[in-house]
Amino acid sequence: MGGSSTGRAFMGSFTSAGGLGVTVAEVDRNTGALTVLGSSDALPDPSFLALAPGGTVLYAVGESAPGSAAAFDVSGDVPALLGPVQPVDADGPTHLALAADHLVTANYGSGSVTVLPVLPDGSLGPVSSVVRHEGSGPDSERQEGPHAHQVLADPSGRWVVSVDLGTDSVRVGALDPATGTLEPHGETVLRPGTGPRHLAFHPSGRYAYVLNELVPTLTVCRWDAEAGRLEPLEEVLVLPESDPSAHFEDGSLLTYPSEVVVAHDGRFLWTANRGHDSISVLTLDESGEKAALVATVGCGGHWPRDLTLDPSGQWLYAANERSGNVSWFAVDAETGIPQQAGSVEVPAASCVVLG
């Protein structure tokens, strides 16, 4: 961090719901506080962001139909488009990641993954590859077909992993940096009806944790980077089983988990839970193979769509979509339990990325 007491945060928000688009904020590293500096609505409904190494170029997906992706110069206080907005040849992109000099997007609406080249100036070129998923799940309303929800590079940099809520599975692909072609490599099927949404890796790179949206559980998996294979080990509750606030009056679930974050030292794991409006704290054993729920705390708003840990590991940020704010929490170094320290207004907040 170079000794500086300030950093940068970048927040997405849904313009169709009154959000400002892509917002830049200053971060006080001593208090975790955010101060909004400027914003741009050049890309409609930027639902997720990814920051390039160096921190001056930010990428966003526009969760619309047809979907799009854009690069922003964020060296100043107001984001500025870098090159043209590019179509992703799919609908409803919800996530993106940088891998092998390319930008990869997960397209919920079309159930596909798109690859776009990152050009030397940081802008995006036209689509180089689209991989369309196939399959469905037992929930006829949410799993009538594939719904790719997240995409990320594995810690080894050899594989691109995509999480599909509609097919209850995680797919692994290999990205050719020369051609921008994503080649399917394998698929791991999880328990039917769980609706996997997001995945996070353990710092060791040997385990991965899949957060499910249609049930409030976490699937702990072993990750083999050599073989590019994910192996489910166990499924763990992220809310107390007897918690009445997690259910409607008829007993059906009120909670839709959204994001999973692992501590930099691998001791803790946090999930954001929409509806229950909480952050769950789980401890991880020394290997990372065992997870156990230890506490839940309020998210500081309503409908936490995203959760982000700052580079120091001291501060946790929640983007609360329906209450229109981003809250920050001081993380107890011994217990991992976050305590709210502040909040800033961000209408229709979708995500937070820390520089």
Side-chain angles (χ1 to χ4, degrees):
M1 296 190 294
S4 173
S5 63
T6 62
R8 288 291 183 97
F10 307 95
M11 298 170 287
S13 59
F14 291 102
T15 56
S16 61
L20 301 177
V22 177
T23 297
V24 179
E26 184 179 80
V27 181
D28 184 328
R29 291 194 171 111
N30 296 319
T31 66
L34 302 180
T35 302
V36 172
L37 300 174
S39 61
S40 169
D41 61 0
L43 181 73
D45 290 342
S47 61
F48 222 88
L49 311 174
L51 189 63
T56 60
V57 179
L58 184 78
Y59 299 94
V61 284
E63 190 175 332
S64 55
S68 55
F72 289 88
D73 180 342
V74 288
S75 56
D77 291 348
V78 177
L81 272 179
L82 186 62
V85 174
Q86 293 287 358
V88 298
D89 294 352
D91 294 340
T94 53
H95 202 268
L96 74 169
L98 291 162
D101 297 322
H102 288 78
L103 187 75
V104 190
T105 73
N107 311 310
Y108 183 88
S110 298
S112 62
V113 172
T114 296
V115 182
L116 305 97
V118 174
L119 303 181
D121 67 352
S123 65
L124 296 172
V127 169
S128 59
S129 179
V130 179
V131 176
R132 305 192 185 281
H133 296 176
E134 295 182 357
S136 60
D139 187 324
S140 59
E141 292 186 4
R142 298 293 309 278
Q143 298 181 307
E144 81 294 342
H147 292 298
H149 213 304
Q150 185 204 31
V151 64
L152 70 165
D154 89 299
S156 75
R158 298 177 58 184
W159 309 101
V160 172
V161 178
S162 57
V163 182
D164 197 303
L165 183 150
T167 61
D168 291 317
S169 64
V170 178
R171 288 169 167 82
V172 179
L175 178 59
D176 185 333
T179 64
T181 300
L182 184 63
E183 292 290 344
H185 172 75
E187 179 180 7
T188 297
V189 177
L190 305 181
R191 185 168 66 85
T194 52
R197 176 183 172 98
H198 276 199
L199 176 154
F201 286 97
H202 188 271
S204 69
R206 294 193 295 270
Y207 295 92
Y209 312 95
V210 182
L211 183 65
N212 301 305
E213 177 173 335
L214 301 185
V215 295
T217 63
L218 182 84
T219 304
V220 180
C221 303
R222 181 177 290 110
W223 171 245
D224 183 340
E226 288 295 319
R229 185 172 62 246
L230 194 69
E231 176 192 357
L233 299 175
E234 66 173 343
E235 198 174 329
V236 180
L237 285 168
V238 298
L239 291 176
E241 192 169 12
S242 59
D243 187 347
S245 63
H247 299 79
F248 291 108
E249 289 184 4
D250 66 359
S252 61
L253 281 170
L254 173 67
T255 297
Y256 305 92
S258 60
E259 184 60 292
V260 54
V261 173
V262 180
H264 304 318
D265 61 7
R267 295 170 58 216
F268 307 107
L269 178 150
W270 301 274
T271 73
N273 311 304
R274 294 168 300 172
H276 194 255
D277 290 343
S278 64
I279 298 170
S280 295
V281 185
L282 291 85
T283 56
L284 299 173
D285 70 359
E286 190 172 347
S287 70
E289 185 173 333
K290 294 291 183 180
L293 176 66
V294 293
T296 60
V297 300
C299 67
H302 179 32
W303 212 251
R305 183 183 172 89
D306 189 35
L307 203 59
T308 303
L309 187 66
D310 88 311
S312 74
Q314 294 178 293
W315 305 101
L316 192 65
Y317 294 82
N320 299 307
E321 180 183 351
R322 295 186 181 175
S323 55
N325 69 307
V326 171
S327 50
W328 56 90
F329 301 78
V331 176
D332 187 295
E334 296 301 318
T335 66
I337 295 175
Q339 180 175 355
Q340 187 173 351
S343 177
V344 67
E345 182 180 355
V346 182
S350 61
C351 73
V352 188
V353 172
L354 278 295

